[in-house]
Structures are given as structure tokens and as C-alpha cells.
Amino acid sequence: MSSHPQPRIVHLDILDTDYAKIAAGEPIPDAKKQRLAQDSYDFTRLGQHIARYRYGGLDQQGQDDILCTLGSTAGLFTLADVEDMNDRLRQTGRFYLTPGERQQVINWLVDELGIDLAA
């Protein structure tokens, strides 16, 4: 009789559609991918960030963190913008984007990727 360890079984809730959507990522239209292909975006990663924003049940700070990641990936924030964000974090002890910074990323998602986070 061998003493092989028993396999560890993890039961998954197949009906957990939010997790499935996050894992699958947000589909980005092929036409938009082709238009932005020269910028070498990782569309799978972008789609996962967007899906996590939509379905992750995040608070405002979590949503702002994802928007910041998306904005940084797209090159939307200047060095001065990043310094302002870091100053706010040091002063308040929490990370957040201003309404204008949020809107800048949301507009980029609509204009460049055809994705409306409000939908």
C-alpha cells in the first residue's frame, strides 16, 4: 500500500458568474485592438482589470486603483499627475483619484476601447 498524499479537492461554485466574468476579462472589440496594436497593449490584462472593476464589488478606493492602473497603462497621467496622487496619499493616508482623473480614464476607455463602464 503506497502512502501517496490524498489529492486536495477544491469545490468551485460554478454559478459564481461574477468570478467567471472577472477571470474571463472584458472582451475588447477586435477593431479597437487593431487600431491600438502599435502601442503593444496587453489586451487580456486590460480586459481583466475592466472586468474586476465592473464585477469585483470594489469600494471607491479599489475602483480608483484599477482606473489608475488603466490610466498608467494608457499613458494618460503625466509625472505631475502621479506626484499629485502620491501627495494625496501621503496627506490623507488613502489612495484616490479626483473626479477629473477618473473621467479622463473613463473617457479613454470609451473612446479608445469602446467600453463604457457605466453599462
Side-chain angles (χ1 to χ4, degrees):
M1 186 179 233
S2 73
S3 61
H4 292 287
Q6 292 297 315
R8 184 174 221 186
I9 298 173
V10 177
H11 296 281
L12 299 176
D13 183 358
I14 301 301
L15 300 177
D16 188 354
T17 56
D18 287 345
Y19 177 78
K21 289 175 185 173
I22 291 170
E26 185 75 18
I28 297 171
D30 286 337
K32 297 293 185 177
K33 285 182 187 179
Q34 290 172 2
R35 198 167 72 98
L36 296 173
Q38 71 275 9
D39 292 329
S40 302
Y41 291 109
D42 180 347
F43 292 107
T44 301
R45 191 83 176 126
L46 285 173
Q48 288 170 339
H49 285 306
I50 294 164
R52 186 165 170 250
Y53 179 94
R54 281 195 175 162
Y55 308 111
L58 303 171
D59 61 9
Q60 186 64 59
Q61 187 171 343
Q63 289 178 341
D64 281 355
D65 183 53
I66 289 175
L67 290 177
C68 183
T69 299
L70 293 169
S72 296
T73 300
L76 301 179
F77 300 126
T78 65
L79 184 56
D81 293 331
V82 174
E83 288 175 6
D84 289 345
M85 291 173 203
N86 289 331
D87 284 344
R88 288 193 301 264
L89 177 60
R90 280 191 293 276
Q91 291 172 5
T92 65
R94 60 185 266 285
F95 176 79
Y96 66 93
L97 297 177
T98 64
E101 291 164 343
R102 282 184 203 113
Q103 195 61 51
Q104 183 179 7
V105 178
I106 289 167
N107 289 347
W108 179 82
L109 288 168
V110 170
D111 295 343
E112 298 299 326
L113 300 183
I115 293 174
D116 184 359
L117 291 178

